[in-house]
Amino acid sequence: MDRYVWDLQEIDETQVAVVGGKGAHLGGLSGIEGVHVPGGFCVTTDAFRRIMAEAPSIDDLLDRLSRLNPDDRQEIRTLSARLRRAVEAVAIPDDLAAAITRALARFGEQAAYAVRSSATAEDLPTASFAGQQDTYLNIVGSTAILRHVSRCWASLFTERAVTYRQRNGIDHRTVHMAVVVQRMVLPHSAGILFTADPVTGNRKVATVDAGFGLGEALVSGLVNPDVFKVRGGEVVAKAIAAKQRAVHALPAGGTQEVVIDSRRQEQPALTDTQVVQLVQLGRRIEAHFGRPQDIEWCLAEDGFQIVQSRPITTLFPIPETGDQENHVYVSVGHQQMMTDPMKPLGLSMWQLTAMAPMHQAGGRLFVDVTRRLASPASRAGLLDVVGRGDPLVRDALETVLELDDFVPALPDADPGGPPVGTAPTSIETDPAIVTELIERNEASVAALERDIRTKSGPALFDFLLEAFDEHKRVLSDPLSMQVIMAGMQATWWLNDKLHEWLGEKNAADTLTLSAPDNITSEMGLALLDVADVIRPHPDVVAFLRGVEDEGFLDELAKLAGGTEARDAIEAYLDRYGMRCVGEIDITRPRWRERPSTLVPVILDNVRNFEPGAAVRRFEQGREKAQQKEQGVLARLRALPDGDQKADETKRMIDRVRTFIGYREYPKYGIVRRYFVYKQALLKEAERLVQADVLPEKEDIFYLTFQELHDVVRSHRVDDELIRQRKDAFRSYQALTPPRVLTSEGETVTGSYRRDDVPAGALAGLPVSAGTVEGRARVILDMADADLEAGDILVTAYTDPSWSPLFVGITGLVTEVGGLMTHGAVIAREYGLPAVVGVEQATRLIRDGQRIRVHGTDGYVEILA
């Protein structure tokens, strides 16, 4: 086999390093029975490396490029143009030119060829890089082909390819370019076949885009294609476009746009029979590569030719079940306010400590609700509970139920578990119950902290498995469940009845202001107290403005007032330091591990508040709730049967104020335990690093709990597995998890069925009453907080760790959330108008725009 030129028949998909992604896939395709690939060869990456070595200026240009900010578009444009010129200026050495010319002689020296870039970081399972490098069609003659091979090498440095690598953290020196040279196909029709629906994700539905002439007309957007959808071997939908133009090959080389005869324009580019035949080929290709494919095809006299196949990288993965049954999954992340991907240790720890079986896909967790949906009795309860929490999930589930026979029907006798949302046995409205539950939890965590200290090695893992049982026992405490349900049901009762009797929407929002025992709202107010300690000391404030690393607490003591400041921050971390954004993932850095995260919020509080703000805020909320209660009861007494309505309402107000604050406590307990588990596991990781088993302790985050147990026992680790897990995690970060997912891969987002939202406004779920207008601050990372008084926070999701920001804002908008998720609960606690579940809010609202949040009616207006 020649070092520089390989025949496509000699290549398979394992040889990406030699022939690039496109070349490897074409080689793999060539070996599939019944799949026809135009003949040709590949100029290997060895040839590219040799060319790069011949141009001494390239090293310096690559060094300069690696130091650039990915957003410095002008400098990227300049440097990438210089790199392309440097590569194209290198003369192809005689022996390399001769090898290419010999290969051309085998396939026909005067034939027309496609000359196609094939980079080593292209058409990979985790990043397609589609369209980043160049392809040249209908090139005739060896001189022209050699010139276009050089152009393909240079196209590794197109501005778009360079920017893509910069943004994805890929080192330019690690990517090399091969070039595929293939006989041209002169087709009647050409286009793209997706073996899964690229819009819905459904793996059972294939989509075919087709046009006349070369596929270039579709790829470049010159014409709209015919679109066919195929399921189960038949065309189930089609849209035939008016195809006015096509791209044809010219006899002497190159291509030309032509106008299609008006009588042919509305004819389909493929017959239904041909479409089905093409999809059958696609299924064969998909089976070979083991994942859904995006396939470029041509139809010529001798049938279909496949000119490219790459993985579809935008599809959300499907949980693995090992059966062929239909399944419906609901996202856990949308309930837990954490839709980012989790690392493998985080996923497995949550699965081991959760109250329901959970499945993973795309770095996210899902609950299988198929059996609940299958039985009419449990279905009603499930839809009611999820609908109260997040109407989009309910709508998505109802959409799935409308699919013919997708969810099997089960008799009511087998609802697949206890009914969802049924009222637990009643309890007295007694604050002592909440106190008792908190004391029980504190004692359990204290015992965990005490007992884990002496455990290490395999014994630690045995201890942790027992600790997880205790964790679940505390979580499933029937009294705790009763208190949570009592608070939620009292809230629903108040909202329903006061709307019915007084025409008031979301009255409970005001009645729950400054409810007692809410650990999350206390956490936000406590940071105002920290700001009070720091505010009188200008040296401390100035020092905090320059904090860049995590050693700043030790430095504080050297400043006037620094000891008090450090003690205040330390005391805060002792109580809340186990929290962080995305805290259900044990691998996320906690505030105690990264206290600098809190510094911007402390500085905002120093700037935006007066001393004593925490006590005042809490008191004002309590007074507002009291005034609301008096007003509501007085109005009720004036109604028919008024005394009875007022007495019932008073009982429910007392109940909601007694119990609703506790709603936040179990999560606090979980996260405290998680931090104890994490510290113990990181100590094991340090021992593994010292024993040269692992290069760095954070590598344990890419192992499941059981895998880590095995590594600790055997002192052996699979380095390749960890590398693959890191690559997979990076790819998952680009995916948006759906609220509902089916086993066919269909992602169902749900929609608000509403006609009360003004034109142009963004619909969402009203979770905290009131209307507010102000400047939108679009913040995706709490560490980037820079808030002024009167700002409205717009973000993807908020978990309890965001609550310190809530004291400094006047309203809240999130993309994810429900009536009883943490952001909603805390917004009500603080009296902030809030709308959650606003699809793509962080993209549709720009930072700094003026917006109006309608927290009572559930929509957001963009004003300017």
Side-chain angles (χ1 to χ4, degrees):
M1 199 182 275
D2 187 285
R3 180 182 170 193
Y4 295 125
V5 176
W6 289 14
D7 195 297
L8 284 179
Q9 299 289 339
E10 302 173 310
I11 296 168
D12 66 35
E13 56 268 31
T14 63
Q15 292 159 319
V16 172
V18 183
V19 295
K22 188 175 286 147
H25 267 78
L26 284 167
L29 284 165
S30 301
I32 304 172
E33 194 180 336
V35 173
H36 299 290
V37 176
F41 58 90
C42 199
V43 183
T44 67
T45 53
D46 276 350
F48 171 77
R49 273 190 281 265
R50 187 167 162 193
I51 295 297
M52 292 287 277
E54 301 268 336
S57 63
I58 284 175
D59 255 0
D60 174 52
L61 291 170
L62 285 175
D63 283 341
R64 289 172 58 188
L65 194 59
S66 66
R67 293 194 290 270
L68 285 187
N69 183 317
D71 295 321
D72 189 349
R73 296 184 62 173
Q74 185 54 52
E75 196 58 25
I76 286 175
R77 186 175 300 132
T78 304
L79 282 178
S80 55
R82 288 181 61 186
L83 277 160
R84 288 196 302 280
R85 285 198 296 274
V87 174
E88 286 191 49
V90 178
I92 298 179
D94 291 346
D95 60 327
L96 176 50
I100 294 171
T101 308
R102 276 198 305 275
L104 285 170
R106 284 203 306 280
F107 292 99
E109 205 159 338
Q110 289 312 305
Y113 289 86
V115 183
R116 314 172 70 193
S117 306
S118 179
T120 53
E122 181 177 19
D123 297 348
L124 305 177
T126 55
S128 80
F129 289 77
Q132 300 301 323
Q133 285 89 31
D134 290 345
T135 284
Y136 302 96
L137 298 177
N138 206 40
I139 309 301
V140 178
S142 57
T143 306
I145 285 168
L146 288 170
R147 187 170 67 249
H148 283 88
V149 167
S150 274
R151 285 188 176 178
C152 282
W153 287 328
S155 79
L156 191 65
F157 302 108
T158 61
E159 185 187 341
R160 62 185 181 273
V162 167
T163 304
Y164 191 96
R165 290 195 294 272
Q166 299 266 98
R167 290 193 188 286
N168 284 277
I170 295 165
D171 181 349
H172 300 291
R173 292 174 195 276
T174 62
V175 184
H176 302 113
M177 180 67 86
V179 181
V180 174
V181 181
Q182 252 180 315
R183 281 289 296 261
M184 266 300 284
V185 180
L186 304 178
H188 304 305
S189 312
I192 299 163
L193 156 63
F194 297 98
T195 64
D197 189 316
V199 178
T200 68
N202 195 314
R203 309 307 201 260
K204 298 274 179 84
V205 176
T207 302
V208 175
D209 290 4
F212 294 123
L214 293 167
E216 204 60 17
L218 303 189
V219 175
S220 64
L222 183 65
V223 295
N224 289 326
D226 297 340
V227 181
F228 303 84
K229 291 196 183 293
V230 176
R231 182 182 177 118
E234 62 176 304
V235 175
V236 292
K238 61 181 165 183
I240 307 303
K243 299 167 289 297
Q244 293 166 345
R245 307 180 86 74
V247 174
H248 283 175
L250 293 169
T255 60
Q256 178 186 31
E257 267 182 45
V258 297
V259 176
I260 294 172
D261 185 308
S262 59
R263 287 165 300 188
R264 277 188 71 215
Q265 287 180 5
E266 307 226 2
Q267 284 180 3
L270 294 177
T271 65
D272 284 11
T273 305
Q274 288 169 330
V275 169
V276 171
Q277 185 190 347
L278 175 62
V279 170
Q280 284 167 346
L281 271 180
R283 292 284 178 226
R284 198 175 295 174
I285 294 167
E286 178 184 67
H288 175 83
F289 288 118
R291 57 177 61 226
Q293 297 287 301
D294 161 357
I295 297 166
E296 293 175 30
W297 57 269
C298 300
L299 178 62
E301 297 296 346
D302 51 355
F304 284 108
Q305 299 261 359
I306 303 300
V307 295
Q308 172 69 317
S309 184
R310 61 171 75 93
I312 308 175
T313 57
T314 54
L315 297 175
F316 199 87
I318 308 171
E320 288 177 18
T321 57
D323 64 34
Q324 297 302 307
E325 306 292 317
N326 288 348
H327 295 271
V328 183
Y329 303 100
V330 171
S331 161
V332 173
H334 285 80
Q335 262 73 54
Q336 290 294 337
M337 298 298 92
M338 163 57 179
T339 52
D340 298 343
M342 295 165 72
K343 296 190 179 91
L345 186 63
L347 290 165
S348 68
M349 291 289 280
W350 192 262
Q351 285 173 304
L352 286 165
T353 52
M355 301 310 300
M358 291 184 182
H359 305 264
Q360 55 177 297
R364 278 77 167 188
L365 291 168
F366 294 86
V367 172
D368 188 340
V369 295
T370 320
R371 289 177 72 78
R372 289 254 163 87
L373 287 175
S375 152
S378 59
R379 181 190 311 146
L382 174 69
L383 292 175
D384 181 51
V385 166
V386 298
R388 283 182 182 275
D390 184 343
L392 292 178
V393 175
R394 178 179 183 135
D395 187 73
L397 289 175
E398 286 173 337
T399 303
V400 173
L401 287 167
E402 286 164 14
L403 300 173
D404 289 342
D405 301 326
F406 186 81
V407 177
L410 283 177
D412 278 347
D414 183 12
V420 179
T422 48
T425 49
S426 189
I427 53 170
E428 291 300 308
T429 303
D430 181 1
I433 297 173
V434 174
T435 307
E436 182 196 339
L437 282 169
I438 291 172
E439 284 170 356
R440 275 192 215 170
N441 205 329
E442 295 286 331
S444 176
V445 173
L448 171 68
E449 289 172 334
R450 181 189 68 233
D451 297 342
I452 204 168
R453 283 187 197 126
T454 57
K455 306 294 187 289
S456 66
L460 169 67
F461 289 82
D462 296 336
F463 171 81
L464 282 172
L465 288 171
E466 289 176 23
F468 298 162
D469 287 338
E470 167 67 2
H471 180 125
K472 289 195 273 194
R473 189 195 65 73
V474 172
L475 264 188
S476 60
D477 182 336
L479 187 61
S480 177
M481 305 295 281
Q482 283 176 283
V483 166
I484 291 168
M485 284 310 294
M488 283 163 58
Q489 287 168 339
T491 304
W492 298 336
W493 188 96
L494 286 167
N495 280 338
D496 291 348
K497 291 297 183 188
L498 295 181
H499 188 246
E500 179 191 332
W501 292 337
L502 299 176
E504 282 228 19
K505 281 186 183 174
N506 304 346
D509 295 358
T510 310
L511 293 166
T512 52
L513 287 173
S514 299
D517 299 312
N518 187 320
I519 188 77
T520 310
S521 61
E522 287 167 11
M523 176 169 72
L525 296 173
L527 209 57
L528 289 175
D529 292 335
V530 173
D532 285 355
V533 175
I534 289 167
R535 194 179 290 107
H537 305 294
D539 290 355
V540 172
V541 173
F543 170 77
L544 289 177
R545 285 198 186 110
V547 162
E548 285 179 358
D549 60 47
E550 303 310 330
F552 73 94
L553 286 171
D554 296 332
E555 297 294 310
L556 271 176
K558 300 171 187 171
L559 304 170
T563 306
E564 298 96 301
R566 185 194 62 197
D567 291 349
I569 294 171
E570 285 284 2
Y572 186 86
L573 290 171
D574 286 344
R575 183 134 171 82
Y576 305 110
M578 74 296 294
R579 308 219 84 148
C580 68
V581 173
E583 61 193 11
I584 70 167
D585 181 355
I586 198 171
T587 72
R588 289 287 191 106
R590 311 282 136 177
W591 290 343
R592 172 52 84 185
E593 296 167 309
R594 203 174 283 174
S596 64
T597 309
L598 292 171
V599 170
V601 194
I602 293 170
L603 289 171
D604 284 349
N605 288 350
V606 167
R607 186 175 68 240
N608 294 334
F609 290 94
E610 297 293 318
V615 173
R616 275 199 308 281
R617 287 288 296 268
F618 191 79
E619 269 311 300
Q620 284 163 359
R622 210 174 56 75
E623 283 167 19
K624 259 192 202 167
Q626 216 166 7
Q627 287 163 8
K628 182 73 172 178
E629 177 183 325
Q630 288 164 355
V632 161
L633 296 177
R635 286 163 64 200
L636 286 172
R637 288 200 176 92
L639 298 177
D641 299 323
D643 286 345
Q644 185 189 337
K645 286 173 179 158
D647 289 347
E648 274 185 85
T649 301
K650 172 65 176 152
R651 274 200 304 280
M652 285 298 173
I653 292 171
D654 290 347
R655 199 163 177 76
V656 86
R657 289 195 67 78
T658 301
F659 292 138
I660 203 67
Y662 176 76
R663 165 84 178 69
E664 291 292 298
Y665 198 86
K667 182 80 170 274
Y668 174 68
I670 292 170
V671 176
R672 283 180 70 192
R673 288 171 194 280
Y674 264 32
F675 194 39
V676 178
Y677 307 152
K678 181 179 188 178
Q679 288 169 307
L681 291 172
L682 282 174
K683 279 186 188 149
E684 287 303 313
E686 278 166 16
R687 292 187 190 102
L688 292 170
V689 171
Q690 283 160 7
D692 290 328
V693 177
L694 287 176
E696 49 192 50
K697 62 182 185 180
E698 281 79 15
D699 282 352
I700 68 166
F701 297 160
Y702 296 94
L703 298 170
T704 66
F705 180 82
Q706 186 56 55
E707 288 166 349
L708 179 54
H709 189 179
D710 294 341
V711 170
V712 166
R713 221 176 15 228
S714 68
H715 268 220
R716 282 200 303 275
V717 72
D718 182 345
D719 296 327
E720 178 59 18
L721 176 70
I722 289 177
R723 192 192 64 73
Q724 287 171 2
R725 294 265 176 85
K726 287 179 178 179
D727 287 346
F729 179 74
R730 270 195 295 274
S731 74
Y732 296 154
Q733 288 175 305
L735 299 175
T736 302
R739 281 177 166 80
V740 171
L741 176 68
T742 75
S743 50
E744 291 186 349
E746 186 132 3
T747 58
V748 195
T749 49
S751 57
Y752 295 105
R753 313 282 175 181
R754 295 172 53 184
D755 51 15
D756 60 340
V757 176
L762 309 177
L765 178 65
V767 295
S768 185
T771 301
V772 67
E773 193 177 304
R775 178 179 73 152
R777 289 311 321 271
V778 180
I779 298 174
L780 298 177
D781 183 343
M782 201 172 132
D784 298 333
D786 179 17
L787 295 165
E788 299 288 347
D791 282 349
I792 296 168
L793 174 62
V794 179
T795 190
Y797 62 79
T798 62
D799 58 13
S801 70
W802 286 76
S803 65
L805 289 188
F806 283 29
V807 297
I809 58 176
T810 56
L812 173 71
V813 179
T814 67
E815 294 178 340
V816 175
L819 204 56
M820 283 296 168
T821 47
H822 302 276
V825 172
I826 304 308
R828 291 194 290 272
E829 276 282 315
Y830 288 164
L832 302 173
V835 180
V836 302
V838 179
E839 291 282 271
Q840 299 194 353
T842 59
R843 293 186 199 127
L844 298 173
I845 299 169
R846 288 198 310 278
D847 188 50
Q849 280 186 317
R850 283 196 74 74
I851 62 172
R852 188 180 295 130
V853 177
H854 295 263
T856 309
D857 295 311
Y859 62 89
V860 180
E861 289 179 286
I862 299 173
L863 303 176

